[in-house]
Short mmCIF file of all heavy atoms in Angstrom, two decimals:
data_model
loop_
_atom_site.label_atom_id
_atom_site.label_comp_id
_atom_site.label_asym_id
_atom_site.label_seq_id
_atom_site.Cartn_x
_atom_site.Cartn_y
_atom_site.Cartn_z
N LYS A 1205 25.24 15.74 8.63
CA LYS A 1205 24.04 15.10 8.89
C LYS A 1205 22.95 15.58 7.90
O LYS A 1205 22.86 16.79 7.66
CB LYS A 1205 23.58 15.28 10.33
CG LYS A 1205 22.44 14.47 10.76
CD LYS A 1205 22.27 14.55 12.28
CE LYS A 1205 21.19 13.51 12.69
NZ LYS A 1205 21.13 13.42 14.13
N LEU A 1206 22.18 14.70 7.36
CA LEU A 1206 21.12 15.02 6.40
C LEU A 1206 19.90 15.52 7.21
O LEU A 1206 19.62 15.00 8.26
CB LEU A 1206 20.76 13.86 5.52
CG LEU A 1206 21.87 13.30 4.65
CD1 LEU A 1206 21.49 11.95 4.04
CD2 LEU A 1206 22.19 14.32 3.54
N SER A 1207 19.14 16.45 6.66
CA SER A 1207 17.82 16.74 7.22
C SER A 1207 16.89 15.53 7.08
O SER A 1207 17.17 14.64 6.26
CB SER A 1207 17.18 17.96 6.52
OG SER A 1207 16.75 17.59 5.23
N LYS A 1208 15.80 15.47 7.72
CA LYS A 1208 14.86 14.36 7.67
C LYS A 1208 14.35 14.17 6.28
O LYS A 1208 14.32 13.09 5.73
CB LYS A 1208 13.66 14.59 8.64
CG LYS A 1208 12.64 13.49 8.57
CD LYS A 1208 13.07 12.21 9.19
CE LYS A 1208 11.91 11.27 9.34
NZ LYS A 1208 12.33 10.01 9.88
N LYS A 1209 14.02 15.33 5.61
CA LYS A 1209 13.56 15.27 4.20
C LYS A 1209 14.63 14.72 3.24
O LYS A 1209 14.35 13.90 2.38
CB LYS A 1209 13.07 16.64 3.81
CG LYS A 1209 12.49 16.68 2.39
CD LYS A 1209 11.94 18.12 2.06
CE LYS A 1209 11.40 18.07 0.69
NZ LYS A 1209 10.88 19.40 0.26
N GLN A 1210 15.89 15.22 3.46
CA GLN A 1210 16.97 14.74 2.57
C GLN A 1210 17.19 13.23 2.81
O GLN A 1210 17.44 12.49 1.90
CB GLN A 1210 18.26 15.53 2.93
CG GLN A 1210 18.27 16.95 2.51
CD GLN A 1210 19.45 17.69 3.00
OE1 GLN A 1210 19.87 17.51 4.17
NE2 GLN A 1210 20.05 18.54 2.19
N PHE A 1211 17.15 12.85 4.12
CA PHE A 1211 17.42 11.41 4.44
C PHE A 1211 16.40 10.51 3.76
O PHE A 1211 16.67 9.49 3.24
CB PHE A 1211 17.46 11.30 5.94
CG PHE A 1211 17.86 9.95 6.42
CD1 PHE A 1211 19.09 9.42 6.17
CD2 PHE A 1211 16.89 9.06 6.98
CE1 PHE A 1211 19.49 8.19 6.56
CE2 PHE A 1211 17.30 7.76 7.39
CZ PHE A 1211 18.55 7.34 7.15
N VAL A 1212 15.10 10.94 3.92
CA VAL A 1212 14.05 10.17 3.21
C VAL A 1212 14.32 9.95 1.76
O VAL A 1212 14.20 8.87 1.15
CB VAL A 1212 12.67 10.78 3.50
CG1 VAL A 1212 11.55 10.22 2.59
CG2 VAL A 1212 12.31 10.66 4.99
N THR A 1213 14.65 11.14 1.10
CA THR A 1213 14.93 11.05 -0.33
C THR A 1213 16.12 10.14 -0.63
O THR A 1213 16.01 9.28 -1.58
CB THR A 1213 15.25 12.48 -0.86
OG1 THR A 1213 14.09 13.30 -0.63
CG2 THR A 1213 15.59 12.47 -2.34
N VAL A 1214 17.14 10.19 0.17
CA VAL A 1214 18.34 9.36 -0.16
C VAL A 1214 18.02 7.90 0.07
O VAL A 1214 18.44 7.07 -0.74
CB VAL A 1214 19.56 9.84 0.72
CG1 VAL A 1214 20.71 8.83 0.69
CG2 VAL A 1214 20.01 11.23 0.21
N VAL A 1215 17.35 7.55 1.16
CA VAL A 1215 16.97 6.17 1.43
C VAL A 1215 16.14 5.62 0.24
O VAL A 1215 16.40 4.46 -0.26
CB VAL A 1215 16.25 6.02 2.72
CG1 VAL A 1215 15.58 4.61 2.88
CG2 VAL A 1215 17.21 6.23 3.89
N GLU A 1216 15.18 6.40 -0.25
CA GLU A 1216 14.41 5.91 -1.35
C GLU A 1216 15.20 5.88 -2.61
O GLU A 1216 15.04 4.93 -3.48
CB GLU A 1216 13.16 6.82 -1.52
CG GLU A 1216 12.22 6.60 -0.28
CD GLU A 1216 11.00 7.55 -0.29
OE1 GLU A 1216 10.77 8.30 -1.25
OE2 GLU A 1216 10.28 7.50 0.72
N ASN A 1217 16.12 6.79 -2.85
CA ASN A 1217 17.02 6.71 -4.05
C ASN A 1217 17.91 5.46 -4.02
O ASN A 1217 18.14 4.85 -5.06
CB ASN A 1217 17.87 8.00 -4.15
CG ASN A 1217 17.05 9.17 -4.63
OD1 ASN A 1217 15.89 9.05 -5.10
ND2 ASN A 1217 17.60 10.37 -4.57
N ILE A 1218 18.40 5.15 -2.83
CA ILE A 1218 19.20 3.96 -2.70
C ILE A 1218 18.41 2.72 -3.03
O ILE A 1218 18.81 1.89 -3.79
CB ILE A 1218 19.82 3.85 -1.29
CG1 ILE A 1218 20.88 4.92 -1.07
CG2 ILE A 1218 20.46 2.44 -1.00
CD1 ILE A 1218 21.35 5.08 0.39
N HIS A 1219 17.13 2.66 -2.49
CA HIS A 1219 16.25 1.58 -2.78
C HIS A 1219 16.09 1.38 -4.29
O HIS A 1219 16.07 0.29 -4.81
CB HIS A 1219 14.91 1.75 -2.15
CG HIS A 1219 13.83 0.83 -2.60
ND1 HIS A 1219 13.72 -0.40 -2.10
CD2 HIS A 1219 12.91 1.00 -3.54
CE1 HIS A 1219 12.73 -1.08 -2.72
NE2 HIS A 1219 12.15 -0.22 -3.59
N ASN A 1220 15.86 2.49 -4.98
CA ASN A 1220 15.71 2.46 -6.39
C ASN A 1220 16.88 2.22 -7.33
O ASN A 1220 16.76 1.93 -8.47
CB ASN A 1220 14.98 3.73 -6.88
CG ASN A 1220 13.55 3.91 -6.25
OD1 ASN A 1220 12.80 2.93 -6.25
ND2 ASN A 1220 13.18 5.12 -5.92
N THR A 1221 18.04 2.30 -6.66
CA THR A 1221 19.31 2.22 -7.44
C THR A 1221 20.04 0.85 -7.21
O THR A 1221 20.62 0.26 -8.21
CB THR A 1221 20.27 3.32 -7.05
OG1 THR A 1221 19.59 4.57 -7.29
CG2 THR A 1221 21.56 3.26 -7.88
N VAL A 1222 20.00 0.32 -5.99
CA VAL A 1222 20.68 -0.91 -5.75
C VAL A 1222 20.04 -2.07 -6.47
O VAL A 1222 18.81 -2.25 -6.40
CB VAL A 1222 20.75 -1.20 -4.21
CG1 VAL A 1222 21.24 -2.61 -3.93
CG2 VAL A 1222 21.61 -0.23 -3.53
N ASN A 1223 20.89 -2.84 -7.16
CA ASN A 1223 20.43 -4.02 -7.85
C ASN A 1223 20.88 -5.25 -7.04
O ASN A 1223 22.06 -5.55 -7.07
CB ASN A 1223 21.06 -4.06 -9.27
CG ASN A 1223 20.56 -5.23 -10.04
OD1 ASN A 1223 19.56 -5.90 -9.73
ND2 ASN A 1223 21.22 -5.50 -11.18
N TYR A 1224 19.98 -5.83 -6.32
CA TYR A 1224 20.25 -6.95 -5.48
C TYR A 1224 19.15 -7.95 -5.54
O TYR A 1224 18.01 -7.60 -5.29
CB TYR A 1224 20.47 -6.41 -4.00
CG TYR A 1224 20.84 -7.50 -3.04
CD1 TYR A 1224 22.12 -8.09 -3.02
CD2 TYR A 1224 19.85 -7.98 -2.17
CE1 TYR A 1224 22.41 -9.14 -2.07
CE2 TYR A 1224 20.20 -9.03 -1.27
CZ TYR A 1224 21.47 -9.53 -1.23
OH TYR A 1224 21.76 -10.60 -0.32
N SER A 1225 19.50 -9.18 -5.79
CA SER A 1225 18.48 -10.19 -6.05
C SER A 1225 17.89 -10.78 -4.77
O SER A 1225 18.50 -10.87 -3.69
CB SER A 1225 19.22 -11.40 -6.81
OG SER A 1225 18.40 -12.55 -6.74
N PHE A 1226 16.66 -11.20 -4.89
CA PHE A 1226 15.93 -11.85 -3.72
C PHE A 1226 16.56 -13.14 -3.42
O PHE A 1226 16.34 -13.71 -2.30
CB PHE A 1226 14.50 -12.11 -4.15
CG PHE A 1226 13.62 -10.87 -4.11
CD1 PHE A 1226 13.30 -10.19 -5.31
CD2 PHE A 1226 13.09 -10.40 -2.94
CE1 PHE A 1226 12.55 -9.10 -5.35
CE2 PHE A 1226 12.35 -9.23 -2.94
CZ PHE A 1226 12.03 -8.60 -4.15
N ASP A 1227 17.32 -13.78 -4.36
CA ASP A 1227 17.89 -15.09 -4.17
C ASP A 1227 19.41 -15.11 -4.14
O ASP A 1227 20.02 -16.10 -4.23
CB ASP A 1227 17.39 -16.02 -5.29
CG ASP A 1227 15.87 -16.20 -5.20
OD1 ASP A 1227 15.36 -16.42 -4.07
OD2 ASP A 1227 15.25 -16.16 -6.29
N SER A 1228 20.02 -13.89 -3.87
CA SER A 1228 21.52 -13.87 -3.80
C SER A 1228 21.99 -14.70 -2.69
O SER A 1228 21.33 -14.87 -1.60
CB SER A 1228 21.94 -12.48 -3.58
OG SER A 1228 23.36 -12.39 -3.46
N LYS A 1229 23.05 -15.38 -2.90
CA LYS A 1229 23.64 -16.23 -1.88
C LYS A 1229 24.55 -15.47 -0.89
O LYS A 1229 25.08 -16.02 0.09
CB LYS A 1229 24.45 -17.37 -2.51
CG LYS A 1229 23.65 -18.26 -3.43
CD LYS A 1229 22.62 -19.04 -2.68
CE LYS A 1229 21.84 -19.92 -3.64
NZ LYS A 1229 20.47 -20.10 -3.29
N HIS A 1230 24.83 -14.20 -1.21
CA HIS A 1230 25.73 -13.40 -0.37
C HIS A 1230 24.97 -12.06 -0.01
O HIS A 1230 24.25 -11.53 -0.82
CB HIS A 1230 26.99 -13.04 -1.18
CG HIS A 1230 27.88 -14.18 -1.41
ND1 HIS A 1230 27.72 -14.96 -2.48
CD2 HIS A 1230 28.88 -14.67 -0.68
CE1 HIS A 1230 28.62 -15.92 -2.47
NE2 HIS A 1230 29.33 -15.75 -1.40
N CYS A 1231 25.22 -11.62 1.19
CA CYS A 1231 24.85 -10.25 1.55
C CYS A 1231 25.92 -9.34 1.00
O CYS A 1231 27.05 -9.78 0.78
CB CYS A 1231 24.68 -10.07 3.03
SG CYS A 1231 26.06 -10.66 3.95
N GLU A 1232 25.61 -8.09 0.73
CA GLU A 1232 26.53 -7.15 0.14
C GLU A 1232 26.48 -5.83 0.83
O GLU A 1232 25.47 -5.38 1.34
CB GLU A 1232 26.26 -7.01 -1.39
CG GLU A 1232 26.40 -8.34 -2.12
CD GLU A 1232 26.07 -8.21 -3.61
OE1 GLU A 1232 25.68 -7.12 -4.09
OE2 GLU A 1232 26.23 -9.22 -4.34
N ALA A 1233 27.64 -5.15 0.79
CA ALA A 1233 27.73 -3.77 1.29
C ALA A 1233 28.05 -2.93 0.10
O ALA A 1233 28.91 -3.26 -0.75
CB ALA A 1233 28.81 -3.63 2.36
N PHE A 1234 27.38 -1.76 0.03
CA PHE A 1234 27.57 -0.77 -1.05
C PHE A 1234 27.98 0.54 -0.45
O PHE A 1234 27.34 1.04 0.46
CB PHE A 1234 26.31 -0.62 -1.84
CG PHE A 1234 25.83 -1.86 -2.51
CD1 PHE A 1234 24.90 -2.67 -1.87
CD2 PHE A 1234 26.30 -2.20 -3.76
CE1 PHE A 1234 24.46 -3.83 -2.47
CE2 PHE A 1234 25.81 -3.39 -4.37
CZ PHE A 1234 24.82 -4.21 -3.73
N GLY A 1235 29.02 1.17 -0.98
CA GLY A 1235 29.34 2.49 -0.63
C GLY A 1235 28.47 3.45 -1.47
O GLY A 1235 28.20 3.16 -2.63
N VAL A 1236 27.94 4.45 -0.80
CA VAL A 1236 27.00 5.35 -1.45
C VAL A 1236 27.61 6.82 -1.44
O VAL A 1236 27.95 7.31 -0.33
CB VAL A 1236 25.66 5.38 -0.69
CG1 VAL A 1236 24.65 6.33 -1.39
CG2 VAL A 1236 25.10 3.97 -0.58
N LEU A 1237 27.75 7.33 -2.64
CA LEU A 1237 28.11 8.76 -2.78
C LEU A 1237 26.85 9.53 -3.13
O LEU A 1237 26.02 9.11 -3.92
CB LEU A 1237 29.16 8.91 -3.87
CG LEU A 1237 30.51 8.20 -3.56
CD1 LEU A 1237 31.41 8.24 -4.79
CD2 LEU A 1237 31.19 8.76 -2.36
N ILE A 1238 26.66 10.71 -2.50
CA ILE A 1238 25.49 11.52 -2.64
C ILE A 1238 25.89 12.85 -3.27
O ILE A 1238 26.75 13.54 -2.72
CB ILE A 1238 24.75 11.72 -1.36
CG1 ILE A 1238 24.42 10.37 -0.64
CG2 ILE A 1238 23.43 12.57 -1.50
CD1 ILE A 1238 23.98 10.56 0.78
N ASP A 1239 25.24 13.20 -4.38
CA ASP A 1239 25.57 14.54 -5.01
C ASP A 1239 24.66 15.63 -4.43
O ASP A 1239 23.75 15.35 -3.58
CB ASP A 1239 25.48 14.49 -6.57
CG ASP A 1239 24.10 14.35 -7.11
OD1 ASP A 1239 23.11 14.57 -6.37
OD2 ASP A 1239 24.01 14.02 -8.32
N LYS A 1240 24.85 16.85 -4.81
CA LYS A 1240 24.09 18.00 -4.30
C LYS A 1240 22.65 17.91 -4.53
O LYS A 1240 21.87 18.51 -3.76
CB LYS A 1240 24.67 19.30 -4.80
CG LYS A 1240 24.54 19.48 -6.31
CD LYS A 1240 25.09 20.78 -6.74
CE LYS A 1240 25.06 21.09 -8.23
NZ LYS A 1240 23.77 20.90 -8.85
N ASP A 1241 22.19 17.05 -5.51
CA ASP A 1241 20.78 16.92 -5.85
C ASP A 1241 20.23 15.68 -5.18
O ASP A 1241 19.09 15.30 -5.50
CB ASP A 1241 20.56 16.90 -7.36
CG ASP A 1241 20.92 18.22 -8.05
OD1 ASP A 1241 20.67 19.24 -7.49
OD2 ASP A 1241 21.57 18.05 -9.13
N LEU A 1242 20.97 15.06 -4.32
CA LEU A 1242 20.60 13.84 -3.57
C LEU A 1242 20.49 12.63 -4.45
O LEU A 1242 19.94 11.60 -4.05
CB LEU A 1242 19.32 14.10 -2.75
CG LEU A 1242 19.31 15.22 -1.74
CD1 LEU A 1242 18.07 15.35 -1.08
CD2 LEU A 1242 20.47 15.09 -0.77
N ASN A 1243 21.10 12.66 -5.66
CA ASN A 1243 21.21 11.45 -6.41
C ASN A 1243 22.35 10.61 -5.83
O ASN A 1243 23.24 11.14 -5.19
CB ASN A 1243 21.58 11.81 -7.90
CG ASN A 1243 20.53 12.62 -8.56
OD1 ASN A 1243 19.34 12.21 -8.52
ND2 ASN A 1243 20.89 13.77 -9.06
N VAL A 1244 22.27 9.28 -6.00
CA VAL A 1244 23.23 8.40 -5.44
C VAL A 1244 24.01 7.65 -6.45
O VAL A 1244 23.49 7.28 -7.56
CB VAL A 1244 22.52 7.36 -4.43
CG1 VAL A 1244 21.95 8.11 -3.29
CG2 VAL A 1244 21.54 6.50 -5.14
#
């Protein structure tokens, strides 16, 4: 389990990394791997 601070960082890193269009015709699932520095 991530600490609250780690979790916030990861959620924001995911937001900044996922490339998903406002007009995509499909929803998508992405597997997320997290390194020791909380990069995704």
Side-chain angles (χ1 to χ4, degrees):
K1205 190 169 186 171
L1206 298 168
S1207 72
K1208 178 71 172 178
K1209 184 177 179 181
Q1210 290 172 320
F1211 186 68
V1212 166
T1213 299
V1214 168
V1215 168
E1216 292 175 8
N1217 286 347
I1218 291 168
H1219 168 83
N1220 292 322
T1221 303
V1222 168
N1223 183 14
Y1224 180 76
S1225 169
F1226 286 98
D1227 295 317
S1228 177
K1229 301 294 183 213
H1230 292 88
C1231 52
E1232 298 179 356
F1234 299 91
V1236 180
L1237 297 171
I1238 305 168
D1239 71 15
K1240 63 179 176 54
D1241 296 320
L1242 304 179
N1243 297 307
V1244 297

